[in-house]
Amino acid sequence: MDCIELFKKAAAAMQTDPRYLELDAARRENDMDQELQGLIGEFNLARLDLNNETSKIEPSDDRINELNQKINDLYTQIMSSEGMVRYNAAKAECEALVNHIDAIINTAMNGGDPMTVNAPQGGCTGSCATCGGCH
């Protein structure tokens, strides 16, 4: 079995990890949350209205300020909703998982021992050029 097939199997296994399962459950719950989806739709429409207003030959500063305020208020409502808080926490956990996997791959590609790689501390960027060390 070549390394691509092994990585495919590892990716499938990753989808059974509790961190991924929590992210997927939070995503599905948010998709079913009609109130949240309504806020997101309203947010997107307000952004379109703002883009239209700023594209005008003579945009109205008052209208731009009003739309910016509406967008900021909706964004705050969306991001502070229980579902989005849960989703963002789960997303951060999955990003940490992916960063750990990336550190393992980068270590191996640079000739190091992938078995010695610990989870990056302080947020791995995925670039060894900015790395303070993974282990």
Side-chain angles (χ1 to χ4, degrees):
M1 182 177 302
D2 69 3
C3 69
I4 297 297
E5 289 302 312
L6 285 171
F7 274 106
K8 287 179 181 179
K9 288 186 182 292
M14 186 176 69
Q15 290 178 319
T16 67
D17 186 277
R19 292 163 286 194
Y20 172 82
L21 295 174
E22 172 62 14
L23 178 65
D24 188 52
R27 180 185 312 120
R28 283 185 282 110
E29 185 176 299
N30 284 346
D31 288 347
M32 299 301 291
D33 183 337
Q34 294 305 310
E35 183 179 341
L36 178 60
Q37 292 304 313
L39 289 171
I40 291 169
E42 196 176 335
F43 174 84
N44 289 331
L45 289 174
R47 284 185 35 201
L48 285 173
D49 287 346
L50 179 62
N51 287 339
N52 289 336
E53 186 63 37
T54 58
S55 298
K56 290 181 178 178
I57 293 171
E58 293 186 31
S60 165
D61 288 340
D62 289 341
R63 180 73 174 140
I64 289 172
N65 290 335
E66 174 189 329
L67 289 167
N68 273 325
Q69 185 62 51
K70 182 177 184 178
I71 289 168
N72 289 335
D73 291 347
L74 286 166
Y75 182 81
T76 298
Q77 276 186 276
I78 291 165
M79 296 311 286
S80 64
S81 72
E82 186 178 318
M84 286 304 289
V85 169
R86 177 183 176 203
Y87 174 82
N88 283 324
K91 184 177 174 216
E93 289 290 323
C94 283
E95 286 171 350
L97 173 63
V98 170
N99 286 339
H100 191 179
I101 292 166
D102 192 43
I104 293 166
I105 293 168
N106 282 321
T107 297
M109 292 305 295
N110 287 314
D113 181 356
M115 303 309 271
T116 64
V117 178
N118 295 317
Q121 301 299 311
C124 177
T125 64
S127 168
C128 291
T130 61
C131 188
C134 295
H135 42 88

